[in-house]
Amino acid sequence: MKLIKDIWFKRRDIVSEGFDESLEYISKLIPLKIHKISSGTKCWTWKVPEKWGIKEGYIEDLKGNRLLDLKDHPLHVLSYSLPVNKVVSKEELMKHLHTDPKRPGAISFKFKYYERDWGFCIQHNKLKKFTKDKYKVFIGSKFEKGALKVGDFTIKGKSNEIIVVVAHLCHPAMANDDLSGVSVLVDVAKKLKKKNNYYTYKFLLLPETIGSIAYLSQNEDIIPKMKCGIFLEMLGNGNIHALQLSRQGSTRLDRVAEYIMKKKLDNFRKGLFRKVVCNDEMVFNGPGLDIPMISISRYPYPEYHTSDDNLKIISEKKLVESRDLVLEILDIMDSDYIPKRKFKGPVFLSGYGLWVDWQENPKLSENIEQIMLRLEGDKSVFDIAEELDMDYREVRSYLDGFYKNNLIEKKNGSFKN
Amino acid sequence: MKLIKDIWFKRRDIVSEGFDESLEYISKLIPLKIHKISSGTKCWTWKVPEKWGIKEGYIEDLKGNRLLDLKDHPLHVLSYSLPVNKVVSKEELMKHLHTDPKRPGAISFKFKYYERDWGFCIQHNKLKKFTKDKYKVFIGSKFEKGALKVGDFTIKGKSNEIIVVVAHLCHPAMANDDLSGVSVLVDVAKKLKKKNNYYTYKFLLLPETIGSIAYLSQNEDIIPKMKCGIFLEMLGNGNIHALQLSRQGSTRLDRVAEYIMKKKLDNFRKGLFRKVVCNDEMVFNGPGLDIPMISISRYPYPEYHTSDDNLKIISEKKLVESRDLVLEILDIMDSDYIPKRKFKGPVFLSGYGLWVDWQENPKLSENIEQIMLRLEGDKSVFDIAEELDMDYREVRSYLDGFYKNNLIEKKNGSFKN
Amino acid sequence: MKLIKDIWFKRRDIVSEGFDESLEYISKLIPLKIHKISSGTKCWTWKVPEKWGIKEGYIEDLKGNRLLDLKDHPLHVLSYSLPVNKVVSKEELMKHLHTDPKRPGAISFKFKYYERDWGFCIQHNKLKKFTKDKYKVFIGSKFEKGALKVGDFTIKGKSNEIIVVVAHLCHPAMANDDLSGVSVLVDVAKKLKKKNNYYTYKFLLLPETIGSIAYLSQNEDIIPKMKCGIFLEMLGNGNIHALQLSRQGSTRLDRVAEYIMKKKLDNFRKGLFRKVVCNDEMVFNGPGLDIPMISISRYPYPEYHTSDDNLKIISEKKLVESRDLVLEILDIMDSDYIPKRKFKGPVFLSGYGLWVDWQENPKLSENIEQIMLRLEGDKSVFDIAEELDMDYREVRSYLDGFYKNNLIEKKNGSFKN
């Protein structure tokens, strides 16, 4: 939460000083390696844009009365707007004013990263103040060669296989989209750092879409190591959680995430790939890469992409709930193993202290046979718990008893997605 | 239509002069190769029957009053009837008179190609005129060694793989069954002749069942080249179209035919193999051959296999509608290709002129990502259009843009059925 | 039935004199090979228990009035009870008295084969007679080294593949559970002995669970030869039949059993593996063996595991019905074959005497084409009959006609489960 308060109002445009400063800030919380990809670098079918900066921007009538001033709010100038300095007719000005009529009291967030234009963003209900025929428009933006930056915190595990967790750090003066995702990511990273993990975890903070494309296209060797990923976004607002499945739709991570949400949450919604909310999963899980990536969000919320997406809508409690959810999902992913039978016939349970009294634990007692029938090496502990609708930790703990008695062997992490 | 008018009243029995003359007639419209298979030739488990002809046939009372005369209608004598010339009791005669009680005013069409007998066909409501005890019966039919004939028009395409289109030319004095199919076949053949086709097309005109068996058993080398086929029959009457699926039931041709019928027709019905109407698909798509063959008809119709199946029930408009349907189906079959991605990551659309404005074409715009995710070389343009419920030509035209930008390669026609 | 009458009241504990005598009795009906596995033998994760015997057992008040005496009923002492000879408080006694409160007038059947204790079984409504403070308890049981015995009758067939039929011979003084299964097994064995079988049949009579484990663990070479099996149990009572599927759930035997039950019985119920009644299928069809084993029973019945499970609840008619059911199932299993087409195209039926008149046999006539389309060597006669919902014998007899005409070849028994 402190992170969000400290950096939310910065001009975190995709390649910008504000973005760079924010990465610096976070690297004090978790040790980040910063990848830099220069403006103009060809990234598959894309190209890294210039660094963009702006100090001044306003609209005045010809008497010098300011109707809009960048100083009042960072959103007032279109992100990546071309510079402009001229007198225009009202008619022309209106083509360059962006509003959100559904939320008339808020400044809308708009950008033109690739099809360039100049423009301002303004509250819809302020349009009526433009009563004159001509206006002076000034946008003092600068385009210069710079470098797109990606923050990367990697925790090495026993396996080289990577689970990647991603959030985007861009969007100027916006709190929930996506500093809430960044905040949850940082907290999850801190917790995992203290654990002895099976998988390698990579946490990436980047500008949306182009950041993923730039990083992955310049580091193609890492793609085959990525087993699956989670995109975190818009997690501080009051809505229920939304699980967006990976393109594959039923990988282990999809199933674990749904299993945990069912167990832990009163309510959540689930949607197909790209049918809940669109983000960098289209890169990771897209053509030629196809790393299964789910996204976890609390989308939608009414303040989306306006100046109302600010600290007021963020709740610490929601962030903590989301963090715990992600940790539970990763705990199963990390601790799951495939139990492989070494015995023949039904096990003589009481001879090994594995008998379970029906009256003490009816569900486990009833399911022991079913567990015993699933130890052929083709199902993991999670698969078994999911199939029998049992608690993952209880099944794991019961099978650990089999392991101690040399009745099964364990295979870690080598299971299919 | 002219074709139907010109030859419908001929005695087109399965091996007969009338059949041969009809083939001659059609070979003036499209250049036919005529295959001849002699009477008695062993064809798998079957044998080609003799050529059958008849000039005279009647029933008289003993005073010489004719109650039935072949001169009045070609259907009056059972097709392939044995010759007879004797006086019989009324009781015996009745065993040899064939009627259709459901359509008492029409002469029924009956045949005994293999289990031989003599017989007449007559309107059911004329039976009451047979009030005498004895009758003179005369059938001057002749069985002689001849040749079953099959008309074959082949249009060579880029590929040696054949799509076969079949209709039967037999059934004396019948218009809809199946000169309507013959007429549509001829019109389709004329159109395809003018095109530059990918597949090779073979159009076959033959006597029902035995014609297919005779032709294929004597030309077995052609069977593996046949990719799929369409049987055309009973297409001039007023009923809606009926699509009978191939035995496989979901080959590419089944799916394309259903896709086109859904798009182009207000209404049609669909049935499993041999559950709509039975014809030569049991040969082509039967044991040991198994070439997927759909049938397209307007079955059923009340005049079926009676003298009421005449020019009155045939509509030019229906024939044209059916022809266009077949052409649309074959157009997709022929022009479809597999687009295979050469790019990585989502494509930077605006950089290639592939951006589609949501307001101009919402359906295409919404589906671009879904199209991009289906270019792995396992789906054809049609597969994509079908999955996304889009127009085939629109998807093909959009992907042609990818091809021009060197973003995909094309594989023609090599896809599975 | 005579078998049940003759041996039902014996003390057939799992390793006991009564069990051995019962095997002797049955070996006069069918020639049994007796397998002996000594007490203490390690059998996978289990161990063969000692032989257990008892002559005397009673409860007296301190004045010598007997409140319970083994002489009155073999069930009065817990099977495998430890010996005891002491005076105990009423409170302690009560912990060692086993009753069935749901059936208060009957003595309950209880056992402690592995977790040892002493104990008596008594009618629930006799508990109120225990009004004194102290009682003399005497159980003169003996544990000694002996041998668990398994009766094995094998009928050699053309194939070495084995179909195994199993029933358990243990449970003292109980008629339906499972001498009814034993009786049906013996009758089935007698019938099959007279036939010329394709499969080898093995009939096993053994003590429940430990008998299967002991036999199979000491004869592991036989396991891979066992194709599938049937457990027979509780078949003399009045309830409808219950088919418990194998773990696999849809093997050929599962499907044949269900097919026959549907055809022959007005009503039956079907349940998943271990969801109807639990028995030795958990050994045969369990971890490391996985021989598909169905069970056929008439479970449940109210007298289960009490002294009311006696001759009164057994009906000869029910036993015969069950025996005939098992014979029908095995008849299909044994006589089924895969017909493989040698012809091409639809067969010219009338040329081979294979024409079927629609009016004489509409169902067969309608299905001839469907049969002809299923002769590719991937379906057995039973598969075809099941798919077309036809009578197995009718399809087999029709296809035998194809075989006689050299239109198909036959492959026996090599089909998948």
Side-chain angles (χ1 to χ4, degrees):
Chain A
M1 192 72 196
K2 181 166 185 306
L3 178 156
I4 304 178
K5 276 182 196 150
D6 288 350
I7 63 175
W8 83 279
F9 211 62
K10 279 184 189 289
R11 270 223 79 86
R12 287 167 287 102
D13 301 284
I14 55 177
V15 182
S16 67
E17 215 169 285
F19 189 95
D20 296 354
E21 289 166 9
S22 301
L23 265 190
E24 279 305 311
Y25 175 94
I26 292 165
S27 69
K28 281 161 201 155
L29 307 176
I30 50 173
L32 292 179
K33 175 175 174 185
I34 312 280
H35 300 270
K36 298 174 192 175
I37 302 110
S38 305
S39 300
T41 306
K42 176 92 181 152
C43 297
W44 295 330
T45 60
W46 298 62
K47 215 166 69 179
V48 175
E50 305 92 327
K51 183 169 181 175
W52 185 80
I54 186 165
K55 290 275 171 336
E56 207 179 351
Y58 58 83
I59 306 174
E60 289 179 352
D61 63 22
L62 298 189
K63 292 177 184 162
N65 297 316
R66 296 218 166 171
L67 286 105
L68 172 154
D69 196 331
L70 177 65
K71 288 190 181 73
D72 297 336
H73 202 288
L75 291 182
H76 267 324
V77 171
L78 186 72
S79 185
Y80 273 74
S81 171
L82 293 172
V84 71
N85 184 7
K86 59 179 171 182
V87 172
V88 296
S89 67
K90 181 182 170 187
E91 193 188 350
E92 193 186 348
L93 177 59
M94 285 301 137
K95 293 181 192 158
H96 296 267
L97 288 193
H98 301 277
T99 69
D100 184 348
K102 283 187 199 136
R103 205 159 180 86
I107 308 160
S108 74
F109 166 53
K110 292 282 157 60
F111 47 86
K112 297 251 181 193
Y113 301 144
Y114 306 106
E115 5 131 40
R116 298 282 161 83
D117 196 3
W118 63 268
F120 298 91
C121 299
I122 189 168
Q123 296 88 332
H124 191 72
N125 59 20
K126 286 207 176 159
L127 287 180
K128 59 179 177 279
K129 296 198 172 175
F130 291 80
T131 54
K132 305 286 162 55
D133 285 345
K134 290 192 177 293
Y135 293 92
K136 162 108 197 267
V137 292
F138 180 82
I139 293 177
S141 61
K142 261 188 240 165
F143 289 81
E144 53 186 323
K145 202 163 159 46
L148 181 153
K149 294 192 183 165
V150 173
D152 166 5
F153 174 44
T154 300
I155 307 173
K156 194 80 194 67
K158 289 192 196 66
S159 164
N160 286 325
E161 279 194 298
I162 293 169
I163 295 179
V164 63
V165 183
V166 186
H168 72 75
L169 187 58
C170 57
H171 290 15
M174 215 141 284
N176 196 40
D177 181 8
D178 180 32
L179 291 185
S180 65
V182 170
S183 165
V184 168
L185 177 148
V186 168
D187 285 356
V188 167
K190 282 178 177 174
K191 293 272 183 193
L192 287 197
K193 205 171 98 179
K194 294 176 191 151
K195 286 180 64 183
N196 189 14
N197 302 302
Y198 176 78
Y199 287 109
T200 291
Y201 290 89
K202 186 180 277 290
F203 296 87
L204 294 177
L205 295 168
L206 36 69
E208 194 176 345
T209 306
I210 183 65
S212 296
I213 290 169
Y215 172 71
L216 291 164
S217 68
Q218 304 307 305
N219 295 278
E220 287 201 344
D221 56 317
I222 213 157
I223 296 169
K225 294 182 192 158
M226 290 184 172
K227 183 187 176 66
C228 58
I230 304 178
F231 201 90
L232 296 175
E233 50 191 330
M234 305 182 258
L235 291 164
N237 58 304
N239 203 352
I240 56 166
H241 277 99
L243 169 63
Q244 178 175 280
L245 299 174
S246 73
R247 191 193 59 77
Q248 289 80 352
S250 60
T251 67
R252 187 160 296 271
L253 178 57
D254 290 285
R255 290 161 48 217
V256 169
E258 186 170 353
Y259 173 91
I260 285 294
M261 290 200 180
K262 273 186 189 155
K263 295 263 177 209
K264 303 289 170 184
L265 303 176
D266 291 336
N267 200 0
F268 71 100
R269 72 186 177 107
K270 188 178 75 161
L272 292 179
F273 189 63
R274 306 294 280 173
K275 299 299 184 195
V276 175
V277 59
C278 290
N279 232 300
D280 295 48
E281 68 285 337
M282 186 64 193
V283 182
F284 284 83
N285 210 157
L289 292 84
D290 224 10
I291 302 153
M293 180 172 271
I294 62 170
S295 105
I296 299 177
S297 71
R298 295 177 185 273
Y299 191 78
Y301 60 107
E303 302 84 0
Y304 177 74
H305 274 204
T306 72
S307 54
D308 288 345
D309 182 345
N310 55 38
L311 292 177
K312 282 184 205 149
I313 68 166
I314 305 283
S315 141
E316 178 82 36
K317 205 178 135 214
K318 296 294 177 185
L319 294 172
V320 168
E321 188 191 39
S322 298
R323 179 202 65 190
D324 289 348
L325 207 62
V326 175
L327 286 169
E328 292 259 21
I329 291 166
L330 294 178
D331 178 60
I332 293 186
M333 290 300 290
D334 210 77
S335 67
D336 197 15
Y337 63 84
I338 292 180
K340 172 102 176 65
R341 175 181 57 78
K342 297 168 78 172
F343 59 89
K344 275 188 197 165
V347 170
F348 181 49
L349 296 170
S350 49
Y352 296 91
L354 293 167
W355 177 257
V356 173
D357 190 315
W358 185 85
Q359 285 178 323
E360 280 175 30
N361 189 339
K363 182 137 196 186
L364 178 55
S365 170
E366 265 175 18
N367 274 318
I368 287 180
E369 272 186 18
Q370 296 300 323
I371 293 173
M372 255 201 267
L373 288 165
R374 285 166 170 79
L375 306 177
E376 300 303 312
D378 57 346
K379 290 181 196 297
S380 77
V381 176
F382 170 72
D383 292 331
I384 297 169
E386 190 191 31
E387 271 187 38
L388 302 177
D389 192 23
M390 294 184 68
D391 181 71
Y392 167 78
R393 284 202 179 86
E394 178 165 59
V395 177
R396 191 178 63 185
S397 142
Y398 186 67
L399 284 170
D400 284 349
F402 274 62
Y403 183 70
K404 277 172 208 138
N405 280 294
N406 199 28
L407 291 166
I408 56 168
E409 49 190 66
K410 287 183 179 189
K411 287 193 291 175
N412 270 79
S414 53
F415 29 78
K416 289 172 300 184
N417 247 317
Chain B
M1 195 71 197
K2 180 167 186 307
L3 178 156
I4 304 179
K5 276 181 196 150
D6 287 351
I7 63 175
W8 84 277
F9 210 63
K10 279 183 188 291
R11 270 225 78 86
R12 286 167 287 104
D13 301 284
I14 55 178
V15 182
S16 67
E17 215 169 285
F19 189 95
D20 297 353
E21 291 165 10
S22 301
L23 265 189
E24 279 305 311
Y25 176 94
I26 292 166
S27 69
K28 280 161 202 154
L29 307 176
I30 49 173
L32 292 179
K33 176 176 175 183
I34 311 280
H35 300 268
K36 298 175 192 175
I37 302 112
S38 304
S39 300
T41 306
K42 176 91 179 150
C43 296
W44 296 330
T45 61
W46 299 62
K47 216 166 67 178
V48 175
E50 305 91 326
K51 183 169 182 175
W52 184 79
I54 186 164
K55 290 274 168 341
E56 206 181 352
Y58 58 81
I59 306 173
E60 290 179 348
D61 64 20
L62 299 190
K63 291 177 185 160
N65 299 315
R66 296 219 165 169
L67 286 103
L68 172 152
D69 196 330
L70 177 65
K71 288 190 181 74
D72 297 336
H73 202 286
L75 290 182
H76 268 322
V77 171
L78 186 71
S79 184
Y80 273 74
S81 171
L82 293 172
V84 70
N85 183 5
K86 59 179 172 183
V87 172
V88 296
S89 68
K90 181 182 170 187
E91 194 189 350
E92 194 188 347
L93 176 60
M94 287 299 138
K95 293 180 193 158
H96 295 266
L97 287 193
H98 302 276
T99 69
D100 184 347
K102 284 186 198 138
R103 204 159 181 88
I107 308 160
S108 74
F109 165 53
K110 291 283 157 59
F111 47 85
K112 296 252 180 194
Y113 301 143
Y114 306 105
E115 5 131 39
R116 298 281 161 84
D117 197 2
W118 63 268
F120 298 92
C121 300
I122 189 169
Q123 297 90 331
H124 191 72
N125 59 19
K126 287 207 177 160
L127 287 179
K128 57 180 178 279
K129 297 195 171 175
F130 291 80
T131 53
K132 306 283 161 57
D133 286 345
K134 289 193 179 296
Y135 294 91
K136 163 105 195 270
V137 291
F138 179 82
I139 294 178
S141 62
K142 261 188 241 163
F143 290 81
E144 53 186 324
K145 203 164 159 46
L148 180 154
K149 295 193 184 163
V150 173
D152 167 5
F153 174 44
T154 300
I155 308 173
K156 194 79 194 66
K158 287 190 197 69
S159 164
N160 287 325
E161 280 193 297
I162 293 169
I163 295 180
V164 63
V165 183
V166 186
H168 72 74
L169 187 59
C170 59
H171 291 17
M174 215 141 283
N176 196 40
D177 181 9
D178 180 32
L179 291 185
S180 65
V182 170
S183 165
V184 168
L185 178 149
V186 167
D187 284 355
V188 167
K190 282 179 178 173
K191 293 272 184 191
L192 287 197
K193 206 171 97 179
K194 293 176 193 151
K195 285 180 64 185
N196 188 14
N197 301 303
Y198 176 78
Y199 287 109
T200 291
Y201 291 88
K202 187 181 275 291
F203 297 87
L204 295 176
L205 295 168
L206 36 69
E208 194 176 345
T209 306
I210 184 64
S212 296
I213 291 169
Y215 171 72
L216 291 165
S217 68
Q218 304 309 306
N219 296 280
E220 288 202 343
D221 55 318
I222 213 158
I223 296 170
K225 294 183 194 157
M226 289 184 171
K227 183 186 176 69
C228 58
I230 304 178
F231 201 91
L232 296 175
E233 49 192 329
M234 305 182 259
L235 290 165
N237 58 304
N239 203 351
I240 56 167
H241 278 99
L243 168 63
Q244 179 175 279
L245 299 174
S246 73
R247 193 193 57 77
Q248 290 81 351
S250 60
T251 67
R252 188 161 295 272
L253 177 58
D254 291 285
R255 290 161 47 218
V256 169
E258 187 170 350
Y259 173 92
I260 285 294
M261 291 202 179
K262 274 187 189 153
K263 296 261 178 210
K264 302 288 170 185
L265 303 176
D266 291 336
N267 201 1
F268 72 99
R269 71 186 178 106
K270 186 178 76 161
L272 292 179
F273 190 63
R274 306 296 278 172
K275 299 299 184 197
V276 174
V277 59
C278 290
N279 233 299
D280 296 48
E281 68 285 337
M282 186 64 192
V283 183
F284 284 84
N285 209 159
L289 291 86
D290 223 10
I291 303 152
M293 180 172 272
I294 62 170
S295 104
I296 299 177
S297 71
R298 296 177 184 271
Y299 190 77
Y301 61 106
E303 301 85 0
Y304 178 74
H305 274 204
T306 72
S307 55
D308 289 345
D309 182 346
N310 55 39
L311 291 177
K312 283 184 205 149
I313 67 166
I314 305 284
S315 140
E316 177 84 35
K317 203 178 136 215
K318 296 293 177 186
L319 294 172
V320 168
E321 188 191 40
S322 299
R323 179 202 64 189
D324 289 347
L325 208 61
V326 175
L327 286 170
E328 292 259 19
I329 292 167
L330 294 178
D331 178 60
I332 293 186
M333 289 300 288
D334 209 79
S335 67
D336 198 15
Y337 64 85
I338 292 181
K340 172 101 176 64
R341 174 179 58 77
K342 297 167 79 173
F343 58 89
K344 275 189 197 164
V347 170
F348 180 49
L349 296 170
S350 50
Y352 297 91
L354 293 166
W355 177 257
V356 174
D357 190 314
W358 186 85
Q359 285 178 322
E360 279 175 30
N361 190 338
K363 183 137 196 184
L364 178 55
S365 170
E366 265 175 17
N367 274 318
I368 287 180
E369 272 187 17
Q370 297 300 321
I371 293 172
M372 256 201 267
L373 287 166
R374 284 164 170 80
L375 306 177
E376 301 303 311
D378 57 345
K379 290 182 197 296
S380 76
V381 176
F382 171 71
D383 292 331
I384 297 170
E386 190 191 32
E387 272 187 40
L388 302 177
D389 192 23
M390 292 182 70
D391 181 70
Y392 167 78
R393 284 202 179 87
E394 178 165 60
V395 176
R396 193 179 61 186
S397 142
Y398 187 66
L399 284 170
D400 284 349
F402 275 62
Y403 183 70
K404 277 174 210 140
N405 280 295
N406 199 27
L407 291 166
I408 56 168
E409 49 191 67
K410 287 183 179 189
K411 286 193 292 174
N412 269 78
S414 53
F415 29 79
K416 290 173 298 185
N417 246 317
Chain C
M1 192 72 195
K2 182 169 184 307
L3 177 157
I4 303 178
K5 276 181 196 149
D6 287 350
I7 63 174
W8 83 279
F9 210 63
K10 279 184 187 290
R11 270 226 76 88
R12 287 167 288 102
D13 302 284
I14 56 177
V15 182
S16 68
E17 216 169 284
F19 189 94
D20 296 354
E21 290 166 10
S22 302
L23 265 190
E24 279 305 312
Y25 175 93
I26 292 166
S27 68
K28 279 162 203 155
L29 307 175
I30 50 173
L32 292 179
K33 175 174 175 184
I34 311 280
H35 301 270
K36 297 174 192 174
I37 302 110
S38 304
S39 300
T41 306
K42 177 90 180 151
C43 296
W44 297 328
T45 61
W46 298 63
K47 217 165 65 177
V48 175
E50 306 92 325
K51 183 169 180 175
W52 185 78
I54 186 164
K55 291 275 169 337
E56 207 180 353
Y58 57 83
I59 306 173
E60 291 179 349
D61 64 21
L62 298 190
K63 289 178 185 161
N65 297 316
R66 297 222 164 166
L67 286 103
L68 172 153
D69 196 331
L70 178 64
K71 288 192 182 70
D72 297 336
H73 202 287
L75 290 182
H76 268 323
V77 170
L78 185 72
S79 185
Y80 274 74
S81 172
L82 292 171
V84 71
N85 184 5
K86 60 179 172 183
V87 172
V88 296
S89 67
K90 180 182 169 186
E91 193 189 351
E92 193 187 348
L93 177 60
M94 286 301 138
K95 293 180 192 158
H96 296 267
L97 288 194
H98 301 276
T99 69
D100 183 348
K102 283 187 199 140
R103 204 159 179 87
I107 308 162
S108 75
F109 165 54
K110 292 281 157 61
F111 47 86
K112 297 253 179 194
Y113 300 143
Y114 306 105
E115 5 131 40
R116 297 283 160 83
D117 195 2
W118 63 267
F120 297 92
C121 299
I122 189 168
Q123 297 88 333
H124 191 72
N125 60 18
K126 284 208 177 159
L127 287 179
K128 58 180 177 281
K129 295 197 173 175
F130 291 80
T131 53
K132 303 286 162 56
D133 285 346
K134 288 193 179 297
Y135 294 92
K136 163 106 196 267
V137 291
F138 180 82
I139 293 177
S141 62
K142 259 189 242 163
F143 289 82
E144 54 185 326
K145 200 164 161 47
L148 180 153
K149 294 191 184 163
V150 173
D152 166 7
F153 174 44
T154 300
I155 307 172
K156 193 80 194 67
K158 288 190 197 69
S159 163
N160 287 325
E161 279 192 297
I162 294 170
I163 295 180
V164 64
V165 183
V166 187
H168 72 74
L169 188 58
C170 59
H171 291 14
M174 215 139 284
N176 196 40
D177 180 9
D178 181 31
L179 291 186
S180 65
V182 170
S183 164
V184 169
L185 178 149
V186 167
D187 285 356
V188 167
K190 282 178 177 172
K191 293 273 184 191
L192 288 197
K193 206 172 95 180
K194 293 175 193 152
K195 288 179 61 184
N196 188 13
N197 302 302
Y198 176 77
Y199 287 109
T200 291
Y201 291 88
K202 186 180 278 290
F203 297 87
L204 295 176
L205 296 167
L206 35 69
E208 193 177 345
T209 305
I210 184 65
S212 297
I213 291 169
Y215 171 72
L216 291 165
S217 68
Q218 304 308 305
N219 296 278
E220 288 201 344
D221 57 317
I222 213 157
I223 296 169
K225 293 182 194 157
M226 290 183 171
K227 183 187 175 67
C228 58
I230 304 178
F231 201 90
L232 297 175
E233 51 191 330
M234 306 182 260
L235 291 164
N237 58 303
N239 203 351
I240 56 167
H241 278 98
L243 168 63
Q244 179 176 278
L245 299 174
S246 73
R247 192 192 59 77
Q248 289 81 351
S250 60
T251 67
R252 189 161 296 271
L253 178 58
D254 290 284
R255 291 162 46 218
V256 170
E258 186 170 352
Y259 173 91
I260 286 294
M261 291 201 180
K262 274 186 188 154
K263 296 264 177 209
K264 302 289 169 184
L265 303 175
D266 291 336
N267 200 0
F268 71 99
R269 70 186 178 107
K270 187 178 77 161
L272 292 179
F273 189 63
R274 307 294 280 173
K275 299 299 184 196
V276 175
V277 59
C278 290
N279 232 299
D280 296 48
E281 69 285 337
M282 185 64 192
V283 182
F284 284 83
N285 210 158
L289 291 86
D290 223 10
I291 303 152
M293 180 172 270
I294 61 170
S295 107
I296 299 176
S297 70
R298 294 177 186 273
Y299 190 77
Y301 60 107
E303 302 85 1
Y304 177 75
H305 275 205
T306 73
S307 55
D308 288 345
D309 182 345
N310 56 38
L311 292 178
K312 283 183 208 149
I313 67 165
I314 305 285
S315 140
E316 178 82 36
K317 205 180 134 213
K318 296 293 177 186
L319 294 172
V320 168
E321 188 191 39
S322 299
R323 179 202 64 189
D324 289 348
L325 207 63
V326 174
L327 286 169
E328 292 259 19
I329 291 166
L330 294 178
D331 177 60
I332 293 187
M333 290 299 289
D334 211 78
S335 67
D336 197 15
Y337 63 85
I338 292 180
K340 172 104 176 65
R341 175 180 56 78
K342 298 168 78 173
F343 58 89
K344 275 188 197 165
V347 170
F348 181 49
L349 296 170
S350 50
Y352 295 92
L354 294 167
W355 177 258
V356 174
D357 190 316
W358 185 84
Q359 285 178 323
E360 278 175 31
N361 190 339
K363 182 136 197 185
L364 177 55
S365 170
E366 266 176 17
N367 274 318
I368 287 180
E369 272 188 17
Q370 296 300 321
I371 293 173
M372 255 201 268
L373 287 166
R374 284 165 171 78
L375 306 177
E376 301 302 311
D378 57 345
K379 291 182 196 295
S380 77
V381 176
F382 170 72
D383 293 330
I384 296 169
E386 191 191 30
E387 272 187 39
L388 302 178
D389 191 23
M390 294 183 70
D391 181 70
Y392 167 77
R393 284 202 180 85
E394 178 164 60
V395 176
R396 193 179 60 187
S397 142
Y398 186 67
L399 284 170
D400 284 348
F402 274 63
Y403 184 69
K404 275 172 210 139
N405 280 296
N406 198 28
L407 291 166
I408 56 167
E409 50 190 66
K410 287 184 180 190
K411 286 193 292 175
N412 269 78
S414 54
F415 29 78
K416 287 173 300 181
N417 247 318

